[in-house]
Amino acid sequence: MWKLKIAEGGAWLSSVNNHVGRQHWEFDPDAGTPEERARVEQLRHNFTKNRFQIKQSADLLMRMQLRKENPGGFIPTALQVKETEDITEEAVSTTLRRALTYFSSIQAHDGHWPAESAGPLFFLPPLVIALYVTGALNAVLGPQHQIEVIRYIYNHQNEDGGWGLHIEGHSTMFGSVLSYIALRLLGQPSHTTAVAKGRQWILEHGGAVAIPSWGKFWLAVLGVYEWDGCNPMPPEFWLLPNISPIHPSKMLCYCRLVYMPMSYLYGKRFVGSITSLVQSLRQELYTDSYHQINWNKARNIVAKPDLYYPHPLVQDLLWGFLHHLAEPLLKRWPLSLLRDKALRVAMDHVHYEDQASRYLCIGCVEKVLCLIANWVEDPNSEAYKLHLARIPDYFWIAEDGLKFQSFGCQMWDAGFAVQAIMSGNLNEEYGPMLRKAHEFIKASQVQEDPNGNFKDMYRHISKGAWTFSIQDHGWQVSDCTAEGLKCTLLFSQMSVELVGEKLETQRFYDAVNVILSLQSSNGGFPAWEPQRAFRWLEKFNPTEFFEDTLIEREYVECTGSAVQGLALFRKLYPSHRRREIDAAISRGIHYIQDTQNPDGSWYGCWGICYTYATWFAVEALTACGNNYNNSPTLRKACEFLVSKQLPNGGWGESYLSSQNKVYTNIEGNRANLVQTAWALLSLISAGQAEMDPTPIHRGIRLLINEQMEDGDFPQQEITGVFMRNCTLNYSSYRNIFPIWALGEYRRCSLFA
């Protein structure tokens, strides 16, 4: 059986906090009783049987293991509330205690709640390609790993034979070609029914020549596509002067760190060994003979199902200039000397980011790119071995197979979980759970800025920040820092005997310093780094399946978290940097008010979608003294949410809202309990109960009635999103947010 390991190190690994928060899976052939193994197989069978109806796994293997290791207290019998019945204090408190008792049983010993953070189908195949090219496929992915990878890919094949950008999406060339190649590299024959069906979808939609630019890159590295069919990624970009409006330091960090190793591999025109399997793939993936393909024309061919952000004409003109004029010159002496220098500079940046993140990298896409760049530079390097050792940090095992995570959401989930647990005023009953979470959050704060002359490497300050995942990751995030600040401030007001020693005052100050340093001139807060580029640069976004990927921008969610964190800090430390904090909060509130949509909503960039962002905006406004009676902004927000409530009392917003920028119900007008909780939290906070509490009562009734026998809540549709067009699952949300909504309802005594 597979076993989840928590806060354990290993060979070639380093850590600044003894690996607190680290989670990785290992296969133990001797683990588990016969009954447990049979249970695991039944869970796998059930998922596969229902995979077209329920596409997201429920993280059942992890929950099964942790519940065995952490036998919780008695879970009382569930209560149901009929449509004709009032909601009593007993019904709410019983449901809340059942949920909290269950939630305590899936907390890890280091204080965080392990959970899946996956969903995109383009995360895993590049790892398979990279390991195949470097010859490490079987060393890194043992037989059991390969079984689970194959299971995962098959489980998320759509009925039409293709694979989507993410598990809930329609089939795309990007997802289909990469998944098909991964299966073939893992030994799956081309004639098996599922593989043949995948190939049929690919060919019917124009063949691999129509894969988007990231796919063209990976196919070129593998040797089943030609570099002449890729738009240029010149490494000379890293030699531009700082004053250039398109300097790398002005790019969104994710974009910068993707194209950093990409440009190195492009500049080297690296191609893996042309094996017999690669030769076979050249024949399988195209509608024309491989050697007759017009690669110049292929540069700008993208399949219609993939095309979310079509290139503007100015971008195609730029790529054409670079391809036809600049590239030929840069390959010739003496300009080839410039390319050699650019390649060295690009790899200097790769090495810096590797070391600063302890070889985790900022995320899984960048991780695999940096791994293969290090191997190409020196297959025997220590850097490559350090990269290999960190790959298991990205694996996640569930009943649908092995997936490659974005980077983990340990701190993000813990920050929300703590506030949810505290909301219901049951702290004394659940003190041990809170104490462990407090220790985890304290251990997860970043203690230092990036090493060396970090500004020359385009990095921002990080001392005092919290990351999305663990301290070893190192990357500051504005909203994670704000949520960490809120939690530690709340803990500082509680009994030391109950939750442990509070965070040192200077560390609160450090967190505030990071938050203040990130605010933009318009009052909004970006996610990772200060906004320092012109919006028009987005016209050169080369990623056809994402939008707003090139530069950092402000987000309502980040702004909402930052304002809440600063407001709580100001209340408890009223004399520290008061003028700056007052100004930052005021500007943040103005940004939130200015970005409200005419219908009363806000567009969310990190969750689905209008429901999610509206919650952050409402909480920020109420944290600063606004309420239903004195704020037209809040009244409009409540009107918006009430207008979207479903007949069963819940809310359910499709990922298509994010994609199409229009509020869209989930198919069949199904309710989603996480989104229902977001809406309820907004309505309770804004004061909707003073005008008409009925919508709140109806939503709470749904949460009570949908709770499962063991105190858990059902896994439903994915509620996370990024870059407008791709979903990301947070499996702990299904526990955290219903608990939070029930807790707030109980605390405010809104019983009906």
Side-chain angles (χ1 to χ4, degrees):
M1 285 178 60
W2 287 94
K3 299 284 289 183
L4 178 64
K5 304 288 187 176
I6 299 295
E8 294 186 12
W12 295 95
L13 297 180
S14 64
S15 176
V16 295
N17 67 351
N18 202 27
H19 301 287
V20 170
R22 183 173 188 246
Q23 48 191 26
H24 73 285
W25 291 83
E26 291 182 0
F27 184 78
D28 182 353
D30 300 320
T33 65
E35 293 77 15
E36 288 170 338
R37 296 183 187 187
R39 175 63 177 153
V40 168
E41 289 307 316
Q42 185 62 50
L43 295 174
R44 289 168 173 161
H45 171 77
N46 291 345
F47 182 87
T48 300
K49 179 182 177 182
N50 300 307
R51 66 190 184 279
F52 296 129
Q53 289 74 45
I54 304 174
K55 296 189 175 184
Q56 175 56 51
S57 63
D59 236 353
L60 296 178
L61 303 192
M62 177 276 290
R63 291 170 180 242
M64 176 179 164
Q65 175 187 326
L66 290 185
R67 293 202 71 201
K68 179 183 177 182
E69 296 173 356
N70 305 320
F74 171 72
I75 296 180
T77 303
L79 298 179
Q80 294 284 300
V81 181
K82 296 179 182 178
E83 193 70 32
T84 56
E85 295 177 338
D86 289 339
I87 299 173
T88 64
E89 192 277 338
E90 180 189 11
V92 174
S93 296
T94 298
T95 305
L96 183 57
R97 285 187 171 95
R98 296 178 79 249
L100 286 168
T101 301
Y102 175 88
F103 197 46
S104 70
S105 73
I106 59 171
Q107 185 181 26
H109 63 78
D110 70 351
H112 85 281
W113 282 266
E116 173 192 318
S117 175
L121 289 173
F122 63 90
F123 283 177
L124 183 57
L127 175 69
V128 176
I129 292 172
L131 294 177
Y132 180 85
V133 169
T134 62
L137 184 61
N138 293 324
V140 174
L141 298 178
Q144 294 299 323
H145 289 87
Q146 295 191 28
I147 288 171
E148 296 304 323
V149 170
I150 292 167
R151 187 196 312 278
Y152 180 74
I153 296 174
Y154 280 144
N155 270 332
H156 293 290
Q157 185 175 23
N158 289 332
E159 291 183 89
D160 62 8
W163 286 266
L165 183 66
H166 54 90
I167 62 174
E168 293 188 359
H170 64 268
S171 295
T172 62
M173 190 64 70
F174 191 38
S176 299
V177 171
L178 289 183
S179 296
Y180 179 91
I181 288 174
L183 288 172
R184 295 287 286 117
L185 296 181
L186 291 168
Q188 296 297 287
S190 62
H191 57 77
T192 59
T193 302
V195 177
K197 194 174 180 182
R199 182 186 178 211
Q200 181 182 354
W201 190 95
I202 292 167
L203 297 179
E204 286 178 351
H205 289 81
V209 73
I211 196 170
S213 57
W214 284 13
K216 294 179 193 296
F217 168 87
W218 277 113
L219 268 59
V221 168
L222 180 61
V224 297
Y225 193 90
E226 296 297 310
W227 282 112
D228 284 343
C230 296
N231 279 320
M233 293 171 270
E236 289 75 16
F237 183 61
W238 300 97
L239 301 179
L240 290 173
N242 290 341
I243 60 171
S244 169
I246 57 172
H247 189 268
S249 65
K250 297 178 174 65
M251 296 169 64
L252 175 68
C253 55
Y254 270 87
C255 183
R256 181 171 75 240
L257 299 182
V258 164
Y259 286 100
M260 182 189 297
M262 272 191 177
S263 69
Y264 175 78
L265 294 164
Y266 173 85
K268 299 280 286 189
R269 297 293 179 110
F270 171 78
V271 179
S273 299
I274 307 301
T275 64
S276 59
L277 180 53
V278 169
Q279 293 278 16
S280 181
L281 287 169
R282 287 181 172 185
Q283 298 175 18
E284 296 168 26
L285 290 170
Y286 298 97
T287 56
D288 297 323
S289 170
Y290 184 82
H291 296 290
Q292 293 179 345
I293 294 172
N294 183 336
W295 296 109
N296 176 50
K297 182 180 178 182
R299 288 187 301 110
N300 295 314
I301 297 176
V302 178
K304 187 176 180 181
D306 295 68
L307 196 57
Y308 181 68
Y309 181 79
H311 290 174
L313 176 61
V314 65
Q315 187 178 149
D316 286 336
L317 291 173
L318 173 63
W319 302 142
F321 168 78
L322 292 173
H323 179 78
H324 292 293
L325 296 176
E327 275 299 310
L329 291 173
L330 289 166
K331 293 177 186 176
R332 299 175 184 172
W333 190 90
L335 290 181
S336 59
L337 300 176
L338 188 66
R339 170 137 300 180
D340 291 340
K341 180 180 179 181
L343 291 171
R344 290 193 299 272
V345 171
M347 280 307 296
D348 285 345
H349 281 275
V350 169
H351 291 314
Y352 180 86
E353 293 299 335
D354 288 346
Q355 293 161 13
S357 66
R358 292 154 198 89
Y359 291 84
L360 282 164
C361 300
I362 195 172
C364 67
V365 173
E366 298 79 2
K367 165 70 178 173
V368 178
L369 288 165
C370 290
L371 178 147
I372 196 168
N374 275 283
W375 183 84
V376 170
E377 183 187 44
D378 180 0
N380 299 311
S381 67
E382 181 180 273
Y384 174 62
K385 295 170 185 174
L386 290 164
H387 259 294
L388 291 177
R390 277 294 189 184
I391 290 175
D393 290 62
Y394 282 93
F395 291 155
W396 194 260
I397 303 285
E399 61 270 25
D400 58 342
L402 185 155
K403 56 204 79 175
F404 209 48
Q405 298 208 98
S406 58
F407 42 65
C409 52
Q410 295 95 310
M411 177 56 213
W412 183 244
D413 283 354
F416 283 151
V418 163
Q419 296 172 76
I421 297 163
M422 290 181 179
S423 67
N425 287 338
L426 296 173
N427 296 342
E428 295 290 335
E429 294 182 41
Y430 296 95
M433 178 163 52
L434 286 169
R435 189 184 188 99
K436 287 200 297 183
H438 189 197
E439 294 304 318
F440 170 75
I441 291 174
K442 287 190 293 184
S444 298
Q445 188 180 23
V446 178
Q447 301 292 304
E448 300 292 341
D449 289 327
N451 58 294
N453 194 348
F454 60 90
K455 292 184 179 179
D456 284 352
M457 307 309 283
Y458 321 138
R459 290 291 297 269
H460 189 61
I461 61 171
S462 59
K463 183 180 181 181
W466 275 273
T467 75
F468 203 74
S469 54
I470 59 178
Q471 188 186 159
D472 284 336
H473 182 258
W475 270 92
Q476 72 287 339
V477 193
S478 62
D479 51 1
C480 299
T481 302
E483 299 300 333
L485 176 63
K486 285 163 61 181
C487 289
T488 49
L489 287 169
L490 291 170
F491 277 125
S492 75
Q493 303 304 296
M494 298 171 68
S495 162
V496 172
E497 289 73 24
L498 185 67
V499 299
E501 295 293 333
K502 75 172 188 177
L503 197 72
E504 296 90 337
T505 301
Q506 183 59 50
R507 290 172 65 180
F508 292 134
Y509 294 170
D510 292 340
V512 168
N513 185 55
V514 171
I515 295 170
L516 292 174
S517 74
L518 290 168
Q519 190 171 29
S520 297
S521 58
N522 64 3
F525 284 81
W528 296 276
E529 297 173 326
Q531 202 285 332
R532 46 198 174 205
F534 299 107
R535 289 292 299 167
W536 57 260
L537 281 174
E538 281 295 348
K539 291 186 178 294
F540 297 95
N541 166 24
T543 314
E544 303 88 348
F545 49 88
F546 286 150
E547 188 177 332
D548 287 339
T549 63
L550 204 59
I551 67 170
E552 184 67 277
R553 61 187 297 271
E554 299 76 29
Y555 306 98
V556 169
E557 303 101 302
C558 295
T559 306
S561 285
V563 167
Q564 292 175 66
L566 291 173
L568 181 57
F569 177 84
R570 179 175 64 180
K571 178 181 178 181
L572 299 178
Y573 292 87
S575 59
H576 181 76
R577 299 177 71 172
R578 181 59 181 258
R579 291 181 62 184
E580 293 173 75
I581 291 172
D582 284 348
I585 291 173
S586 176
R587 290 162 55 213
I589 290 295
H590 283 303
Y591 172 84
I592 290 170
Q593 292 170 330
D594 291 345
T595 53
Q596 187 178 33
N597 294 317
D599 67 355
S601 69
W602 285 264
Y603 179 87
C605 292
W606 305 110
I608 300 172
C609 166
Y610 296 96
T611 316
Y612 182 70
T614 298
W615 171 55
F616 281 92
V618 166
E619 294 288 3
L621 291 165
T622 59
C624 298
N626 295 280
N627 58 51
Y628 193 97
N629 294 318
N630 67 18
S631 171
T633 304
L634 283 176
R635 289 196 292 274
K636 285 176 63 179
C638 289
E639 290 166 5
F640 161 75
L641 290 169
V642 171
S643 75
K644 301 304 180 185
Q645 191 169 28
L646 298 169
N648 68 357
W651 282 259
E653 188 177 1
S654 168
Y655 73 87
L656 295 174
S657 291
S658 302
Q659 190 177 99
N660 301 328
K661 305 180 185 69
V662 176
Y663 188 99
T664 306
N665 284 342
I666 294 172
E667 186 179 359
N669 290 333
R670 296 191 303 275
N672 183 292
L673 298 184
V674 173
Q675 293 167 336
T676 297
W678 290 339
L680 289 169
L681 287 167
S682 297
L683 292 173
I684 293 170
S685 180
Q688 170 68 31
E690 298 176 21
M691 301 301 299
D692 178 12
T694 304
I696 299 174
H697 299 326
R698 294 177 62 222
I700 290 293
R701 180 180 287 109
L702 180 70
L703 294 183
I704 292 171
N705 291 339
E706 289 296 311
Q707 189 178 39
M708 298 165 67
E709 183 179 347
D710 59 3
D712 195 2
F713 291 91
Q715 176 66 54
Q716 298 172 301
E717 293 82 5
I718 291 177
T719 53
V721 73
F722 64 98
M723 304 303 180
R724 303 189 187 272
N725 194 39
C726 194
T727 65
L728 187 67
N729 182 49
Y730 298 91
S731 65
S732 287
Y733 277 15
R734 76 175 195 254
N735 303 100
I736 293 169
F737 288 104
I739 287 172
W740 202 338
L742 289 162
E744 285 296 323
Y745 187 87
R746 181 181 189 273
R747 184 181 63 82
C748 296
S749 300
L750 297 178
F751 311 111

